[in-house]
Amino acid sequence: MDIKTIQINRRSAQITQGKSRAPNRSMYYAMGYQEGDFNKPMVGVANGHSTITPCNSGLQKLADAAIQGIEEAGGNAQVFGTPTISDGMAMGTEGMKYSLVSREVIADCVETCVQGQWMDGVLVVGGCDKNMPGGMMGILRANVPAIYVYGGTILPGRHNGQDLNIVSVFEAVGQNSAGKMSDQELKEIEQKAIPGTGSCGGMYTANTMSSAFEALGMSLPFSSTMANPHDETQNSAKASAKVLIEAIKKDLKPRDIVTRESIENAVSVIMATGGSTNAVLHFLAIAHAAQVPWNIDDFERIRVRVPVLCDLKPSGQFLAVDLHRAGGIPQVMKVLLKAGLLHGDCMTITGKTVAENLADIPDVPRADQHVIRTIATAMYPQGHLAILKGNLSPEGAVAKITGLKNPVITGPARVFDDEQSALAAILAGHIVAGDVMVLRYLGPKGGPGMPEMLAPTGALIGAGLGESVGLITDGRFSGGTWGMVVGHVAPEASVGGNIALIHEGDSITIDAHQLLLQLHVSDADLAKRRSTWVAPEPRYKRGVLAKFAYNASSASSGAVLDLFENRTY
């Protein structure tokens, strides 16, 4: 099928839906278009470049390379912007509440521009955490041929012969507060941890989602672990644009690629690489946008059969740049494919299947690297993202259980209704080994926006309490978090979940072996407490946070804003 036929078909479909969008050509002539341009595909470039954060400040060169690739391949590039919020900068502040909100704003931007401007395809360029799921959700809603271009990871900082990354700073704050690090050394780590452009360097949320998109088939092989300062990112962006033009010619759409089987591939790679807890929330939302049946229990189904193959931070040794040098996501995928843990027949944006893309990748990782292991020498025999249930989380909660000597704790509840007071208690030395911290009213509706708790968890690790203090929350964790932590507790406190009924000193058990999150209070006592519980007033009554709080679904369904099936009006 040629490009002109695709355009005619897309126009016909829009007219059929009562949404005729025949272009006003004079508007295009004003931008330098010529007569022959109207027979070329109109290709959106959703550009996440900004100078808000180093994650996105290196994206313009990739957008420029993509534009060049589109034009060389015979298309017209139509550039529009998407916003970003820096989780690392917003962490611990009121601004962190806008992070998850920005996922929805980005998705809306992509859907609105692609559909409103009647584009034939779209290339999304993103860097920071929510750029990835937001961009993919918009891609899947619009469902025109599309490709995701990741901005690339950051290079490590260095201090005293050790690699540094963003989490090094949060942990250093905890060490400093515990008297284990001088003010001067803390300052040096702050100044050296982030040496330039790119997204946070471990297998944190940005690199987790980029890796998953490669496994999903929506990004080019090897593209998810490149470093932003390196020239190969620009080359990959240009190549991605040309692949997209071919996908437009073939009418290969995102929902042809993003299926239940390809999501299983993506989640398998997340487990194998030790990825972020946020991937659970985001892939629930991505599956919803793709109209693919997928629920929180599917993550547990994948976890029990996929080992952790990669020794990556936050719970391991290496960074994404090390993974790239060791063979990247294609090498991880080939190990999984040979073990029967991937669907090799899934279609990808290249026009080839997963198995075809991996045909030339060695069956076994190179012996001269220590990042990627074989099935027989896996870091852990099962995945690391466990779904815990119990009377505290009947809809499920998410725990990262690897890297811990004993992922079981029973202890007294230390209850906090906000992050700031919890952090203050840690820094003041009021939290001791054996405690189980409860941070609540921080869920999708309660936060609102489900803020991340990197500051408290980093402080616990810095104080030497990472494995001896439990922390549960209806909020989220940074992809850089590790320790005895459980997030996404659902139902959340603000809608009357049992986490709202916990009293100071109540006994709580976190047991990753039994997949249990249990409050040791009788049903009768919980019912008595519930009878006197009063839902809090919304923290925001106008603006984007109020809209998010009103519309957000449970974390167990991805905290999406358009899950209307059960709503009554």
Side-chain angles (χ1 to χ4, degrees):
M1 188 179 295
D2 62 26
I3 290 174
K4 191 170 183 179
T5 303
I6 292 294
Q7 290 181 300
I8 291 170
N9 287 350
R10 181 149 165 75
R11 177 181 292 155
S12 298
Q14 297 293 355
I15 292 172
T16 300
Q17 296 169 25
K19 300 176 182 177
S20 176
R21 300 172 188 174
N24 182 332
R25 294 193 176 197
S26 61
M27 302 289 280
Y28 289 88
Y29 286 133
M31 295 186 291
Y33 281 60
Q34 299 186 17
E35 187 67 26
D37 289 324
F38 297 109
N39 291 322
K40 299 177 181 179
M42 301 293 188
V43 183
V45 176
N47 184 5
H49 172 81
S50 74
T51 56
I52 287 174
T53 169
C55 307
N56 289 54
S57 62
L59 296 187
Q60 188 59 50
K61 62 185 180 182
L62 305 190
D64 291 341
I67 292 165
Q68 184 179 358
I70 289 168
E71 293 174 349
E72 287 180 3
N76 294 316
Q78 298 188 304
V79 185
F80 60 94
T82 62
T84 197
I85 296 296
S86 171
D87 290 12
M89 292 175 172
M91 204 73 67
T93 73
E94 198 74 359
M96 186 67 224
K97 295 178 179 180
Y98 286 87
S99 172
L100 186 59
V101 173
S102 75
R103 183 190 75 176
E104 303 302 315
V105 176
I106 293 163
D108 290 350
C109 283
V110 173
E111 178 191 1
T112 299
C113 287
V114 171
Q115 298 293 67
Q117 292 302 120
W118 189 56
M119 294 172 183
D120 297 298
V122 63
L123 181 149
V124 180
V125 185
C128 205
D129 292 5
K130 305 311 172 294
N131 295 177
M132 261 69 75
M136 189 59 65
M137 290 160 65
I139 281 170
L140 289 163
R141 291 182 199 167
N143 200 35
V144 300
I147 194 166
Y148 200 98
V149 173
Y150 178 45
T153 189
I154 203 166
L155 294 171
R158 295 286 289 177
H159 177 67
N160 289 342
Q162 299 293 318
D163 282 349
L164 298 177
N165 61 87
I166 183 63
V167 177
S168 306
V169 181
F170 285 91
E171 293 180 1
V173 170
Q175 290 177 290
N176 177 259
S177 297
K180 299 178 181 180
M181 179 181 289
S182 68
D183 291 347
Q184 179 59 34
E185 187 168 8
L186 172 60
K187 181 178 180 180
E188 289 182 16
I189 290 174
E190 286 177 333
Q191 292 174 340
K192 297 175 182 178
I194 310 296
T197 56
S199 297
C200 298
M203 192 48 66
Y204 310 147
T205 302
N207 287 326
T208 296
M209 297 307 296
S210 68
S211 299
F213 288 179
E214 184 177 325
L216 191 66
M218 289 298 295
S219 295
L220 293 190
F222 295 103
S223 66
S224 65
T225 51
M226 294 175 178
N228 178 265
H230 292 167
D231 290 344
E232 63 180 343
T233 56
Q234 292 161 265
N235 298 336
S236 181
K238 187 174 181 179
S240 296
K242 294 184 176 183
V243 165
L244 175 57
I245 296 296
E246 291 303 309
I248 293 171
K249 292 177 182 178
K250 297 172 184 174
D251 199 26
L252 178 59
K253 296 187 177 72
R255 292 188 211 164
D256 300 326
I257 296 170
V258 181
T259 63
R260 184 170 172 83
E261 289 74 23
S262 70
I263 291 177
E264 287 187 353
N265 285 350
V267 174
S268 294
V269 166
I270 290 165
M271 295 295 177
T273 55
S276 167
T277 53
N278 283 306
V280 175
L281 189 78
H282 296 327
F283 264 93
L284 288 166
I286 287 166
H288 174 70
Q291 301 179 27
V292 170
W294 188 266
N295 62 53
I296 196 167
D297 295 322
D298 286 314
F299 293 94
E300 185 61 29
R301 177 173 57 83
I302 301 298
R303 184 191 73 82
V304 297
R305 66 184 181 88
V306 176
V308 179
L309 299 178
C310 298
D311 187 5
L312 294 167
K313 289 182 180 296
S315 55
Q317 299 183 63
F318 297 103
L319 296 169
V321 289
D322 303 309
L323 174 60
H324 191 63
R325 286 191 289 263
I329 293 303
Q331 184 63 80
V332 177
M333 292 179 70
K334 188 60 174 283
V335 173
L336 294 174
L337 181 68
K338 293 298 290 185
L341 297 173
L342 283 190
H343 300 283
D345 58 348
C346 286
M347 180 53 60
T348 74
I349 190 60
T350 66
K352 298 178 180 179
T353 65
V354 166
E356 289 170 336
N357 282 342
L358 300 176
D360 295 331
I361 304 298
D363 292 349
V364 179
R366 297 195 323 268
D368 66 345
Q369 58 80 41
H370 303 285
V371 184
I372 307 170
R373 301 192 181 193
T374 65
I375 297 291
T377 60
M379 295 282 294
Y380 305 96
Q382 295 182 325
H384 64 301
L385 296 180
I387 306 302
L388 274 54
K389 293 189 175 181
N391 67 353
L392 269 181
S393 57
E395 292 180 12
V398 183
K400 187 183 288 187
I401 62 175
T402 53
L404 298 173
K405 295 172 185 174
N406 181 25
V408 179
I409 187 172
T410 296
R414 304 296 308 279
V415 182
F416 303 91
D417 289 349
D418 62 81
E419 178 187 4
Q420 288 71 28
S421 58
L423 177 61
I426 297 167
L427 297 179
H430 297 159
I431 302 299
V432 299
D435 285 344
V436 178
M437 299 183 71
V438 178
L439 281 65
R440 63 189 182 187
Y441 295 103
L442 295 166
K445 291 182 177 295
M450 214 177 171
E452 293 179 356
M453 302 292 111
L454 181 56
T457 58
L460 284 173
I461 291 166
L465 298 171
E467 298 207 47
S468 59
V469 169
L471 190 155
I472 70 171
T473 180
D474 49 9
R476 297 182 295 130
F477 294 115
S478 163
T481 295
W482 70 275
M484 184 68 72
V485 297
V486 182
H488 308 202
V489 172
E492 63 175 290
S494 289
V495 300
N498 283 346
I499 189 173
L501 308 181
I502 300 172
H503 289 178
E504 184 82 9
D506 285 347
S507 178
I508 294 174
T509 291
I510 302 169
D511 189 334
H513 295 314
Q514 297 187 61
L515 305 178
L516 181 67
L517 183 61
Q518 191 75 8
L519 173 63
H520 298 292
V521 174
S522 69
D523 290 345
D525 283 344
L526 285 176
K528 188 179 299 182
R529 293 181 186 183
R530 183 173 301 284
S531 68
T532 60
W533 177 79
V534 177
E537 281 286 309
R539 289 175 172 167
Y540 295 86
K541 297 184 179 180
R542 302 179 79 82
V544 67
L545 290 179
K547 288 189 286 186
F548 186 93
Y550 180 78
N551 287 293
S553 70
S554 170
S556 64
S557 55
V560 297
L561 304 189
D562 58 349
L563 188 63
F564 301 129
E565 287 85 346
N566 299 320
R567 175 169 292 179
T568 56
Y569 291 89

